[in-house]
Amino acid sequence: MKNYKVVGIGNAVVDVITQSDDSFLANMGIEKGIMQLIEKDRAEVLYGSMSERTQAAGGSVANSIAGIGSLGLRTAFVGRVSDDALGKFYAKAMTDEGTVFVNDPIAGGELPTSRSMIFVSPDGERSMNTYLGISAELGPEDVSEDVGANAEIVFLEGYLFDKDKGKEAFVKLARACRAAGGKAGIAISDPFCVERHRADFLDLIENELDYVIGNEEEVKSLFETDDLDAAISKLSAICPLAVCTRSGDGVSIMSGGARIDVPVTKVVPVDATGAGDQFAAGFLYGLATERDLETCGKMGCICAGEVIGHVGPRPKVNISAMFRDAGLET
């Protein structure tokens, strides 16, 4: 038996969340509804502007891994934090939630621990302002091949693609996992990230991975088309398992030439932060417990639906009970 059901690798970011209105965003020069990268000085200004802050260990794939861990599976996360106050908070928070935080905080780290200031509007849109800090320096030296070999599933975060050593870390972990009989896949993460690294994304997906999860904008960006069905078909042609989330229109899953469409119950979001992350958590939980793909999709939709109903990117109720209520667990 392997030590871990699912191991994630990605940015280790402390999420700092507060409520705001559109006039505040305009006054602060914050573009609504997207993730913007910011420098250290800007991060300090925005942090100081926040009231009633909620702080949590975050990062896209880290959120997914925490969600999977909350469902009772053995999980681990590969990330890079400094040994400052936020870094120590991050490592402890992940451990307290049942996920092994593989790497110790870096003593005398070259940069501070990463943080993202998230402003949630009344309509549930989140505007993310991320200072990448030390997490973006993650490289192959931070990856233990033993951890990869002891993972049934590895989940990679597309945001790390912005630096070559992040890509090297990806490939090292993916290859160690697959060589030992596991499966490796990626969350595409962001259409702008795709724009910057399209050729590398396509090469990685085709040659190193077993599955890919992305939303409709990311999948269309990957193939430079506005035709979503065509993009999904192209993705499935280069990857054994392609998963595309389509917000209120549900989820499309392609495997072995067959397409499965899973509908969702539309709800008005309180906070859309983490919807994609928790979809991935539910889907990968299903995959790791050998459910059929339609059930995996339904589990992902339940997790996403729960997390958009409250502020914060991680589940606040017993998801296993929700699965049971939906007839997906015994």
Side-chain angles (χ1 to χ4, degrees), residues 291 295 298-299 302 322-330:
R291 304 306 210 277
T295 299
K298 289 178 179 178
M299 287 177 161
I302 287 172
M322 295 183 72
F323 287 169
R324 287 193 296 272
D325 289 344
L328 303 179
E329 294 268 46
T330 55

Side-chain angles (χ1 to χ4, degrees), residues 29 33 43 55 120 128 136 175 182 187-188 200 236 251 258 263 329:
Q55 188 170 286
V120 182
M128 306 170 69
R175 287 179 177 173
I188 300 176
D200 285 344
S236 69
V251 180
E329 294 268 46

Side-chain angles (χ1 to χ4, degrees), residues 307-323:
V307 81
I308 65 174
H310 58 75
V311 174
R314 298 188 179 181
K316 290 188 175 180
V317 303
N318 186 323
I319 298 295
S320 294
M322 295 183 72
F323 287 169

